[in-house]
Structures are given as structure tokens and as C-alpha cells.
Amino acid sequence: MVHEADCAQTTVRVAAIGAGLGLFASACGAPWAVGPVEPTTYRALFKDIGSQGLLFGVMAGAYVGGKCFAESIRNKEDAWNGVYAAVAAGFVNSIRTQRVGPGAAAAAGLSVFSVVSDLWTAHVRDVESRRPHKPNRGMVAEPIMPTFLGSKYTFGYSRIGNPEPTEH
């Protein structure tokens, strides 16, 4: 289960990331908006881009916050938490559009996506838990991190977890 502090931090972080992605997607789609853009309408264009980015961020925050809230209230981690979170995000969309239809459609679509994602993740975890553990022998891709160029023992890149220093 998640703690309330982690839940609040995660919600704020996801809302900020969602707003950034919403701004980016809206700005990328702006050149293909209907009608020519005149110099006097740039303010309206930027207002629309900001509005879409804010909506995406608030919906992402409502989804993650709703999922955390449902987990803490129900004391369960299952696919229903995603459904409740999707309803919260759809409610935010209904407030923005001032109509129930788009919010219900957003809630339904996000619910289906969330349930499929949660069930698939649970399936993958179940399959991975039954697979025998094979120690990493260096034959698979390992994370590589850059080292400081002035290091005494390494040059360029080193594998994480290699305790033996290599002199060059």
C-alpha cells in the first residue's frame, strides 16, 4: 500500500508531467488547427494551448490521486482502483467541457485502458514470479553509466555493480 505523503508527491509530480506533455501535444497540434492564424489571434492560440495542457495535467493528477485514494480507502491493489480513478479523471473532463457526454466517454475509455493495463501487469508479474531465477552472467544488456573522466581506475564507461577496479 502507498503512504499518503508518497501519494500526494506522486500526484503532484504526475500532474506536472501531464501538464508538460499536454502543452507539448497541444503545441504540436496547433499548426493544424482549423483556419489561418493571424497575428491578432496568437493570444487566443496560446490560451488554447495552455488550456489543453492544464486540462491534461489536471486529468492525469486526478487519475493518479484517485487511484491512490481508492487504494488507501479499499486497502486493496486491484483493477477496480483504476476504474474509480478513471471516473475521477472523466469528472474533471466533464467540468471542463460542462457536458456529461465527453466526461463519460473519457471515463469509459480510460477505465478500459486501466483495467487492461492492470490485468496485463498482474499477468506479467505472475509469469515472472514462476520463472526460475538466472543470475546475470553479463550476456544480457546491463545498465551502463558514465564515469568521471579523471577517475584513477576507469575510463569512459563502466558496468554498474562491477566491484573490481580496472586499471588502464
Side-chain angles (χ1 to χ4, degrees), residues 99-140:
R99 295 186 322 194
V100 177
L110 192 54
S111 293
V112 170
F113 180 76
S114 179
V115 168
V116 168
S117 173
D118 286 344
L119 293 178
W120 179 256
T121 304
H123 169 73
V124 169
R125 284 184 187 154
D126 184 47
V127 168
E128 289 293 324
S129 68
R130 286 190 255 145
R131 186 175 293 173
H133 176 70
K134 295 180 182 177
N136 188 356
R137 304 265 186 232
M139 298 301 292
V140 296

Side-chain angles (χ1 to χ4, degrees), residues 55-127:
L55 173 65
F56 199 80
V58 172
M59 284 184 68
Y63 177 80
V64 171
K67 193 165 184 173
C68 277
F69 183 71
E71 282 180 12
S72 64
I73 293 295
R74 298 181 65 233
N75 287 328
K76 292 182 182 179
E77 289 187 28
D78 59 3
W80 283 104
N81 295 333
V83 173
Y84 300 138
V87 170
F91 179 71
V92 168
N93 194 15
S94 291
I95 291 173
R96 165 70 165 76
T97 60
Q98 298 179 350
R99 295 186 322 194
V100 177
L110 192 54
S111 293
V112 170
F113 180 76
S114 179
V115 168
V116 168
S117 173
D118 286 344
L119 293 178
W120 179 256
T121 304
H123 169 73
V124 169
R125 284 184 187 154
D126 184 47
V127 168

Side-chain angles (χ1 to χ4, degrees), residues 148 150-154 166-168:
F148 294 108
S151 175
K152 178 179 176 184
Y153 298 108
T154 58
T166 57
E167 291 203 27
H168 293 277

Side-chain angles (χ1 to χ4, degrees), residues 4-89:
E4 285 79 17
D6 294 339
C7 195
Q9 289 175 353
T10 303
T11 300
V12 170
R13 188 178 322 121
V14 168
I17 292 170
L21 289 174
L23 284 170
F24 178 73
S26 183
C28 288
W32 291 276
V34 178
V37 177
E38 299 173 12
T40 58
T41 62
Y42 281 133
R43 175 175 265 164
L45 177 67
F46 290 140
K47 183 179 177 184
D48 185 50
I49 290 172
S51 174
Q52 294 296 324
L54 181 64
L55 173 65
F56 199 80
V58 172
M59 284 184 68
Y63 177 80
V64 171
K67 193 165 184 173
C68 277
F69 183 71
E71 282 180 12
S72 64
I73 293 295
R74 298 181 65 233
N75 287 328
K76 292 182 182 179
E77 289 187 28
D78 59 3
W80 283 104
N81 295 333
V83 173
Y84 300 138
V87 170

